[in-house]
């Protein structure tokens, strides 16, 4: 299994354009946030919590791009058929994409969180260990969940581009809007971004959500998407 | 160890109302090159997909290298290398990287075979170029290299010479023969009759999802009971007239500057017939330049079988 994960990671790393764009988005956002903060010198310039808010949003972008690419690459290139013809289990071939995408996404996000903590310490107040842990958990869970969901959906549909677009539209457009609809009441807690906000101790709606429930919601989203992708991978005739 | 590399009984596959494979009984001996011959759409690729576990049969049984499919699929396919239709790769990876990606799905030793496989198919010099720059012929050769990563006992190659130039086809033919020489079995699925005849020891002719005949190439080309002899003699018209009067001859027609004589059913063996014919022609003062028995090619056999089926 480890060799399959390494192979999937190689396929992702060699997409240099994609890696460069995602890295530019993640690290560029950190650079712009702190750079603008220094120039403008506003009251909350260099605030670590605000940086985490931006990174949590961009984590879903990075997760969508890399997860969808990992999930759809073998099918779109036609290589999945040749890999299945080796006799290797389709389940192993499917699941190896998840840790591979996580290695790339979470690696970048962890560096971005560490850089944010360091820059906040230089520019403003140093965040506490608890702040860093909560912030890191929020960003990493956001990236990991989006990547896992996109791996599953790309395997389900056999297409990475539309899945990427759908995930970005949902995370950046639909979810924030739906979260504002009071008429939906507690049903809004099922929105992944809302549940993930609980990891950072957000106030308001999510404050009433127990941490275990937030974890369960995140796991349910991942299980649903990965389950659908696994079902398709195991049953499709190629 | 069974003497058969592939064994299928009553194998069928339906896609809705369409029957792709009717009932395939196939026996591929180990250590041979076996041609699976059929027109486009005859069911060749469907059979390959069933053997490799890419699709499920709707009826029948399969055994690969002595293992039941689909029950022992992993064991059966561990020593099987395959190309299904056009070989596909990740275009942004190099040839070498693509082989390592594939090797990751094989046993650990497969990574150690990458360099040797590239060398064997003549791609060592281009191994570190991205595959998106490869020609179709190079991708075919890389596909063969990929098959070699598992040290295969059996290679299943579906239309492997598509895109190869004449020199490439010759190289491929030599490669198949050398693989067979090492004791490996090669199943070659193709619509190229000439290629199968030149490369394979055995063949099966498939049409409309059914195996019409199988056996050695010699057996297949001698299935017909029709015997024909070409005679070059002068004057041709007079010779044709004389031959038409011989009871052992069913028909004698001018053909390609000579006469093609088809023997009547129940005619004596060739040597006796030819002796009789020559005596009659010489007695009439006809000069004889050449007498040649017409050998049926696999193509003749294939066309006669598939045409017969169409007319049925």
């Amino acid at each position: 299994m480890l060799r399959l994960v390494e192979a999937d990671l190689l396929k992702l790393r060699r997409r240099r354009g994609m890696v460069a764009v995602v890295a530019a988005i993640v690290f560029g956002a950190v650079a712009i946030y702190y750079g603008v903060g220094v120039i403008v010198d506003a009251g909350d310039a260099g605030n670590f919590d605000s940086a985490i808010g931006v990174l949590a949003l961009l984590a879903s972008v990075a997760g969508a791009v890399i997860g969808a690419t990992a999930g759809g690459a073998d099918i779109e290139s036609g290589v999945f058929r040749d890999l299945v013809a080796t006799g290797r289990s389709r389940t192993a071939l499917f699941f190896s994409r998840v840790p591979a995408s996580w290695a790339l996404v979470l690696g970048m996000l962890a560096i971005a969180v560490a850089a944010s903590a360091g820059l906040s310490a230089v520019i403003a107040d140093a965040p506490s260990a608890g702040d860093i842990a909560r912030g890191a958990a929020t960003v990493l869970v956001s990236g990991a969940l989006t990547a896992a969901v996109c791996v599953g959906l790309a395997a389900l549909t056999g297409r990475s581009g539309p899945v990427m677009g759908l995930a970005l539209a949902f995370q950046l457009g639909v979810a924030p809007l739906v979260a504002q609809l009071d008429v939906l009441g507690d049903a809004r807690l099922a929105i992944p971004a809302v549940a993930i906000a609980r990891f950072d101790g957000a106030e308001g709606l999510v404050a009433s959500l127990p941490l275990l429930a937030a974890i369960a919601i995140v796991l349910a989203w991942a299980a649903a998407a990965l389950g659908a992708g696994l079902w398709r991978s195991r049953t499709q005739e190629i | 160890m069974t003497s058969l590399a592939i064994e299928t009984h009553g194998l069928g596959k339906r896609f809705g109302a369409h029957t792709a494979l009717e009932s395939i009984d196939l026996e591929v001996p180990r250590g041979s090159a076996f041609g699976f011959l059929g027109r486009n759409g005859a069911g060749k690729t469907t059979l390959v997909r069933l053997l490799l576990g890419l699709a499920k049969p709707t009826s029948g049984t399969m055994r690969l290298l002595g293992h039941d499919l689909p029950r022992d699929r992993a064991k059966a396919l561990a020593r099987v290398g395959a190309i299904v239709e056009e070989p596909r790769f990740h275009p942004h990876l190099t040839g070498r990287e693509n082989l390592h990606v594939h090797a990751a799905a094989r046993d650990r030793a497969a990574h150690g075979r990458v360099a040797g496989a590239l060398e064997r198919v003549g791609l060592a010099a281009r191994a570190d170029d991205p595959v998106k720059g490869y020609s179709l012929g190079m991708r075919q050769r890389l596909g063969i290299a990929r098959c070699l990563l598992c040290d295969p006992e059996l290679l299943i190659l579906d239309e492997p010479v598509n895109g190869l130039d004449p020199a490439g086809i010759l190289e491929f033919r030599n490669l198949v023969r050398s693989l067979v020489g090492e004791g490996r079995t090669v199943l070659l699925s193709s619509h190229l009759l000439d290629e199968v005849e030149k490369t394979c020891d055995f063949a099966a002719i498939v049409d409309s999802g059914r195996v019409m005949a199988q056996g050695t190439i010699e057996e297949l080309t001698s299935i017909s009971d029709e015997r024909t002899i070409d005679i070059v003699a002068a004057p041709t018209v007079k010779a044709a007239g004389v031959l038409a009067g011989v009871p052992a001859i069913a028909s004698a027609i001018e053909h390609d500057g000579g006469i093609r004589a088809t023997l009547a059913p129940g005619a004596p063996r060739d040597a006796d017939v030819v002796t009789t014919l020559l005596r009659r022609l010489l007695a009439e003062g006809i000069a004889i330049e050449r007498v040649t028995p017409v050998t049926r090619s696999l193509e003749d056999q294939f066309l006669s079988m598939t045409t017969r089926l169409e007319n049925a």
Side-chain angles (χ1 to χ4, degrees), chain A residues 44-56:
Chain A
D44 62 345
N47 180 280
F48 179 71
D49 288 343
S50 300
I52 288 301
V54 173
L55 275 179

Side-chain angles (χ1 to χ4, degrees), chain B residues 81-83 144 147 155-160 172 176 186-189:
Chain B
I83 295 179
I144 303 274
C147 290
L155 290 101
I156 298 176
L157 309 176
D158 186 19
E159 304 287 2
F172 170 79
V176 168
V186 179
L187 175 72
L188 188 66
S189 161

Side-chain angles (χ1 to χ4, degrees), chain A residues 10 36 44 62 67-68 77 97-98 100 123 145-147 171 185 225:
Chain A
L10 174 71
V36 169
D44 62 345
S77 64
R97 300 166 190 162
V98 180
I123 295 168
L145 175 63
T146 315
Q171 291 284 65

Side-chain angles (χ1 to χ4, degrees), chain B residues 87-290:
Chain B
R88 303 291 187 87
F89 300 95
H90 291 288
H92 65 293
L93 300 183
T94 66
R96 190 186 308 279
E97 286 170 339
N98 266 290
L99 293 194
H100 278 293
V101 164
H102 192 81
R106 296 287 193 183
D107 64 304
R108 192 167 291 277
H111 291 282
R113 299 188 188 108
V114 168
L118 286 165
E119 191 74 43
R120 185 159 189 181
V121 300
L123 277 179
R126 298 287 305 274
D128 296 313
D129 293 349
V131 165
K132 62 185 167 201
Y134 282 18
S135 66
L136 178 57
M138 289 169 72
R139 289 203 299 274
Q140 290 282 20
R141 285 194 274 160
L142 190 61
I144 303 274
R146 186 164 63 186
C147 290
L148 300 176
L149 295 181
C150 63
D151 186 22
E153 282 184 52
L154 169 65
L155 290 101
I156 298 176
L157 309 176
D158 186 19
E159 304 287 2
V161 296
N162 281 356
L164 295 184
D165 57 23
I169 290 174
L170 188 61
E171 272 179 40
F172 170 79
R173 200 180 297 151
N174 293 336
L175 178 63
V176 168
R177 292 316 310 176
S178 73
L179 290 167
V180 172
E182 292 163 9
R184 308 180 201 270
T185 310
V186 179
L187 175 72
L188 188 66
S189 161
S190 179
H191 66 280
L192 300 174
L193 306 149
D194 184 52
E195 197 47 48
V196 167
E197 189 166 9
K198 285 177 177 158
T199 311
C200 297
D201 311 299
F202 299 85
I205 295 175
V206 61
D207 198 71
S208 300
R210 282 184 285 168
V211 173
M212 308 301 298
Q214 65 180 305
T216 64
I217 299 294
E218 292 72 25
E219 285 168 351
L220 288 174
T221 52
S222 63
I223 282 176
S224 171
D225 51 7
E226 185 180 275
R227 289 182 291 154
T228 314
I229 298 170
D230 279 345
I231 300 166
V232 180
T236 307
V237 176
K238 186 180 177 185
V242 170
L243 291 173
V246 177
I249 300 293
S251 70
I253 54 169
E254 290 188 47
H255 172 78
D256 203 16
I259 304 152
R260 174 156 289 186
T262 303
L263 305 192
R269 62 195 182 100
D270 285 6
D272 296 338
V273 173
V274 170
T275 306
T276 305
L277 294 182
L278 292 181
R279 281 193 181 130
R280 291 288 291 272
L281 291 171
L282 290 170
E284 296 291 337
I286 294 169
I288 302 160
E289 185 182 326
R290 196 165 59 244

Side-chain angles (χ1 to χ4, degrees), chain A residues 146-157:
Chain A
T146 315
V149 166
C150 287
V151 166
L153 294 182
L156 177 69
T157 60

Side-chain angles (χ1 to χ4, degrees), chain A residues 33 93 101 166:
Chain A
Y33 175 77
L93 292 171
S101 63
L166 185 75

Side-chain angles (χ1 to χ4, degrees), chain A residues 47-74:
Chain A
N47 180 280
F48 179 71
D49 288 343
S50 300
I52 288 301
V54 173
L55 275 179
L57 199 64
L58 294 179
S60 60
V61 175
V65 173
I66 293 174
T69 304
D74 285 342

Side-chain angles (χ1 to χ4, degrees), chain A residues 3-4 7 10-11 14-15 73-74 77-79 81-88 90 93 236-238, chain B residues 13 49 53-54 56 73-74 77 84-85 88-90 92-93 97 101-104 106 108 111 146:
Chain A
R3 288 186 300 124
L4 284 178
L10 174 71
K11 292 176 215 166
R14 284 288 185 267
R15 289 181 185 271
D74 285 342
S77 64
V79 171
R81 182 176 59 187
D82 297 300
L83 292 173
V84 171
T86 62
R88 196 64 188 252
R90 293 182 184 219
L93 292 171
Q236 76 179 132
E237 297 202 335
I238 39 183
Chain B
K13 176 67 179 173
R49 291 172 65 225
L54 304 177
K56 288 180 182 168
R73 184 177 159 274
L77 295 177
V84 188
E85 296 175 314
R88 303 291 187 87
F89 300 95
H90 291 288
H92 65 293
L93 300 183
E97 286 170 339
V101 164
H102 192 81
R106 296 287 193 183
R108 192 167 291 277
H111 291 282
R146 186 164 63 186

